[in-house]
Each structure stands twice: as structure tokens, then as C-alpha cells.
Amino acid sequence: MECSGPVRGACARDVNRAVGDAVAVSVAEILVGTLPAAGHVLSLQPVVRELVARGHSVRWYTSDRYAADVEKTGARLEPMSSGLDMFAGPLNELYPERAQLKALNRMKWDLKHLFMGPSAAQAGELGRLHGHTHADVLLCDPGFGAIRMLSERVGVPWVSVGSAPLMLPSRDTAPFGSGLPPSSTSMGRVRNMVLRFVFSNIVMRDVVAHRDRLRREAGLPATREDLMGSGVSPYLHLQSGVAGLEYPRSDLPSQVHFIGSLSDEAAPAQAMPSWWDDVRSSGRPIVHVTQGTVANTELDNLLLPAFRALAREPVTVVATLGDAATTRQFPGLPPNAYIAPYLPYPEFLPHVSAMVTNGGFGGVNEALKHGVPLVVAGRTEEKPEVAARVAYAGAGIDLRTDTPDEAVLRTAVRRVLDVHSYRDRARGLAAEYSKVQAGPRSADLVEQLVSMRSSR
């Protein structure tokens, strides 16, 4: 008997109870699907690498633009048709109509056209792959709805790997995307319930209708599930981060497991820049500034204000830009600032006193894994939720903007450096991260799910 319909919760509880037990698992056929975007592909690398290392047969369906990244894990690439790759270039250049939209309307456009639009056709291609391999389990990032569609059609359980803060709705939290802190009081739960109704039935009504229409066209029944939470698997959800960084939830379901940082520890080590020894030996606090690896084209948003804000402070500023061409073209730097396209975080972050970031969840996880407190300036995609969780955890400051004023930014950095509670809380979270390795933990849980399914 498979884990489907009403037994899903029981299956999740079985997996939960089995954590830590030795489970004998024969070679499993695993079919992975990810959105063809860097953050979605790279975040699954440590999980897939570990599954392959344990002898499982893994096929990975995504764009062939990520062939090298897939092959590094040992998985076999199954390329999606080029017409289904909605992320094949700069989005505003590919879709000029998107460039005219702001904030909420842009997010809604993305959900409809980039995430939901190609999902039925992608599920069709995945179905043909499943017909050849007869996968034992499906694996995906929460934004890739095609895997869920396939699971519903063929009855194979699916596993979601969350590389953003947990999107699952709760009676104790406001809707994902609101950036509001949690509340489990009676009035707080009323607030949360009202906001969820408004979000689903008014604010996102057209997106929900679009989802339901696509499901009907794909021959699937209607669903009343929360829009943002529908990417969380009812079988097993592997959530990046640690419980101390997530909002407390009295109704957290048993299939959710925190797996720590999804950084790929097996990736080849990078060399540090030639100026690194001078920076490390200067004796001044190091402030790391990053605007991410995607949203780094508008330097006036965060990078340049940070350089100007900290130019006369007794700190050394080290920024990563994510692109070598951008590095070469960068304007003049203050004497206390250094730049590089990328830096090896395992070698770099132990020496950092504070990080200024636009709120990418991967970078935030890495900072907290090394006990580094944060100043977060991000208001797009999931970044408001990341920033709000950092502030709620006491490990940093949420500036509630992605274009901070220099004086505000300087004050926030000073506060994070001077007020010991931020560093203490970040180090407390680092202790949580040290107790779990994402690859082995995830592989254990996936194997337990496969074992439970095969024994029914």
C-alpha cells in the first residue's frame, strides 16, 4: 500500500518516528525536478550528492543550462524542453511586460507565468521519464509544481526541499509574504485567520483561480490548499535552516524536518584573494556586504550605500558581487573596502563580525551557521520573510527596505557590532546548525520514506 490519500499523515509520522533508526534500503530510483534557476538547482546539490553517494539511481530534470551542476552530484541530467525553461535569461528582458510591474503585481505575474504556467507540460515530460524508470520517490524544490502533479497522477510520494523560509500556513503565523511577526494569542490567531482569508480570497484571488484552472485542464481535482503552502509535501518536507530561525508553530506537521544549511560542503574549495592576509591581520572588524548573486545589478540599492555609509568607520568592508565583469567595472572604492566576485564562506565567515545582506536565504543560513549577526535590507521575493525571521530570532536587524538610507545603515551596523545580544543569539543558532548536516540528514529521511512505502 502506498502513502496516499488519508494515510499520508500516518506515513509522515512513521518517518518521523524512524529518524535515527537504521533502515536497510535497496537501491532506489529517484526522480528530481527543479525550476531552471540557480538558487533552486544549487540548493538541492548536497541532498542529491549524498543520495548518489549511497548508491541510489538519481535522474534530475531541469534545464541543460545546469548540466555541469547536475553532473557534479553524480546524477544523470534529464533536460527539459527549451520552450519550458522560463528562466533562460534576464527576466525583464525576456518578458518586457513583467518589467512594467511592481511589487505585488510582479509577484503575481511570476507565480502565474514562471511557476504555474509550464507546470502541466513539465509534468508530462516527467511522466514519460517515470514511465521508463518507475521512480520510487520524487524530489523537488517547493516552487516546482510539476512534481506534485506527477505524484497525484501516478501515486508516487514526493519530497520537497525548502530553500526559502517555511511557507506552510499555521494558525500562529500571518500569511507568507506579509513580513508580519507570529502571534499565538487569541487575538493574534484571529488576525492570522482574517489575513489568510483576505490573502487567498481577495489579494491573490486571480492567482488561485489561475491555479485551479490549470489543474482542471491537467485533469486534476480542485484543491483548497493554501496557495503558498501547496509546495510543501504532505509526505516529507526537508526545510533548510534550523528551528531557532523559524517562527514557533504549535501546529507544525510531523513531515517537516529542519536540515540545517544547504551549502554544498563537497564543492571544490576556492582560493582566497591576494589581499586577504592583509584584511585578516588588520585587527579591525570585518563587515561583509552582499547583494546576492542575482539581484546585484542595481548597485545603488545596497552595495554603494554600504560602502559610503561605512567609509569612515573603523571597520574593513568586504563585498562579493557575484560576477567578475561587474567586479572589473566597479567604481572607485573607499580605502577600507575590498571586493571579489565570490568568496569561500567556510574560510571567510569565521573571521566576519557582521553581514549586510539583501536577505537571500542561503547566505543568511551560512552567516548564522558561522555565528555572524546580520543587517538585512530586502523587500522582494521571500526576502521580507527572511529579514523578519532574523529580527524575531534576535540575530540581527531588519531595515524593512531594499534601498536603505546611509545613516540608517551605518547606525544598524554599529548596533549589531556593539550590542552583544545579536552576536550571542547568532552564536546560539550556530550551535543548532552544528548538530545537523543537510546531505546525510536528508538522505536518511528520504531512505526512510522509501522503506516505509516499500513495506506497505
Side-chain angles (χ1 to χ4, degrees), residues 102-267:
K102 301 295 183 183
L104 176 62
N105 286 332
R106 178 177 290 189
M107 181 183 76
K108 292 166 73 171
W109 191 95
D110 288 351
L111 288 171
K112 289 179 183 177
H113 300 282
L114 303 181
F115 292 82
M116 298 177 184
S119 57
Q122 291 164 343
E125 292 191 336
L126 283 164
R128 288 188 286 276
L129 289 173
H130 172 69
H132 295 304
T133 64
H134 299 291
D136 297 298
V137 68
L138 311 173
L139 189 71
C140 68
D141 66 271
F144 194 64
I147 283 285
R148 175 183 174 147
M149 285 185 168
L150 177 62
S151 174
E152 290 186 59
R153 288 173 178 169
V154 301
V156 173
W158 61 291
V159 178
S160 49
V161 183
S163 56
L166 185 60
M167 297 183 182
L168 199 66
S170 166
R171 63 189 176 192
D172 299 326
T173 63
F176 189 88
S178 66
L180 293 173
S183 178
S184 60
T185 66
S186 297
M187 289 303 297
R189 287 178 175 174
V190 170
R191 178 206 71 171
N192 300 335
M193 182 176 63
V194 170
L195 288 176
R196 281 198 303 274
F197 178 86
V198 171
F199 186 80
S200 296
N201 295 280
I202 300 176
V203 177
M204 304 297 285
R205 181 177 180 178
D206 56 325
V207 181
V208 172
H210 186 75
R211 176 195 67 182
D212 293 344
R213 182 169 61 253
L214 290 177
R215 286 182 61 84
R216 286 195 301 271
E217 292 172 357
L220 296 172
T223 176
R224 296 179 61 85
E225 282 188 306
D226 176 84
L227 180 66
M228 303 303 289
S230 60
V232 174
S233 170
Y235 299 95
L236 176 61
H237 178 72
L238 307 172
Q239 177 60 43
S240 64
V242 293
L245 182 59
E246 184 51 62
Y247 293 148
R249 299 161 184 254
S250 59
D251 52 357
L252 184 71
S254 60
Q255 81 267 20
V256 176
H257 296 264
F258 293 94
I259 57 171
S261 172
L262 280 169
S263 61
D264 193 358
E265 299 290 355

